[in-house]
């Protein structure tokens, strides 16, 4: 549990055939004091020095707050994509699920766990973080007829950043590396 968390991707946006992608969020307070929670929505593709939207919540001791449709319930946003910062007065856990609803096949989606902001790579604004720690590895990411891998990247930096994503199969790079330019607080 920690007091500063990031969910790299949250969304509420139309899908195919009348379906809707939406994000649910659970915040669990394992402690014996109430948690005062501040939620900050950072809109995709923008400089989010000032978040696009914010909301407040309280999670009682040893309780879980649930937002079934986060962007509508917390921010009154019906169609948007971005990332979420969570600031809490006491350590909490959080977990999001982005899923597609309304189709004949039922819902399907993916988990997007909230991670501590201190885990950010190369963030010299976080005491104790290595500003040169600029490599992360995502393994067991595969794409075939049965599955697809999605990658969400959120910037916690106070300046624009460049991220390069390279796929590997054993010792060999696969395809062309993807280069992403993110504004302050941006996401891809």
């Amino acid at each position: 549990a920690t007091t500063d968390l990031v969910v790299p991707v949250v969304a509420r946006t139309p899908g195919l055939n009348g379906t809707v992608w939406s994000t649910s969020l659970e915040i669990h307070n394992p402690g014996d004091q109430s948690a005062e929670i501040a939620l900050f929505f950072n809109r995709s593709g923008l400089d989010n020095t000032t978040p696009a939207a914010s909301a407040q919540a309280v999670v009682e001791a040893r309780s879980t707050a649930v937002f079934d449709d986060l962007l509508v319930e917390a921010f009154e946003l019906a169609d948007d994509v971005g990332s979420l910062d969570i600031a809490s007065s006491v350590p909490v856990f959080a977990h999001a699920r982005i899923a597609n609803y309304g189709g004949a096949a039922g819902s399907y989606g993916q988990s997007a766990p909230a991670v501590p902001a201190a885990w950010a790579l190369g963030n010299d604004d976080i005491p104790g973080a290595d500003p040169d720690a600029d490599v992360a590895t995502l393994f067991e990411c595969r794409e075939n007829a049965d599955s697809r891998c999605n990658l969400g990247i959120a910037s916690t930096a106070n300046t624009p950043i460049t991220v390069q994503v390279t796929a590997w199969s054993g010792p060999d790079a696969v395809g062309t590396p993807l280069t992403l330019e993110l504004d302050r607080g941006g996401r891809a």
Side-chain angles (χ1 to χ4, degrees), residues 29-42:
N29 176 3
D32 58 4
Q33 299 176 33
S34 294
E36 295 179 18
I37 305 291
L39 302 172
F40 302 101
F41 173 70
N42 302 298

Side-chain angles (χ1 to χ4, degrees), residues 35-51:
E36 295 179 18
I37 305 291
L39 302 172
F40 302 101
F41 173 70
N42 302 298
R43 187 167 284 130
S44 183
L46 297 180
D47 175 343
N48 285 286
T49 303
T50 300

Side-chain angles (χ1 to χ4, degrees), residues 81-171:
V81 178
S83 64
L84 180 72
D85 296 335
I86 302 169
S88 176
S89 60
V90 299
V92 296
F93 295 102
H95 172 84
R97 180 173 189 265
I98 302 167
N100 187 290
Y101 298 95
S107 71
Y108 56 92
Q110 65 189 24
S111 294
V115 295
W119 288 7
L121 299 178
N123 189 341
D124 56 3
D125 294 332
I126 297 175
D130 179 357
D132 298 319
D134 56 359
V135 176
T137 301
L138 173 66
F139 57 94
E140 277 303 310
C141 187
R142 65 183 92 179
E143 186 169 347
N144 56 40
D146 297 323
S147 81
R148 179 181 75 204
C149 180
N150 295 321
L151 175 64
I153 299 172
S155 171
T156 61
N158 290 325
T159 60
I161 63 169
T162 301
V163 176
Q164 182 173 325
V165 179
T166 304
W168 295 86
S169 180

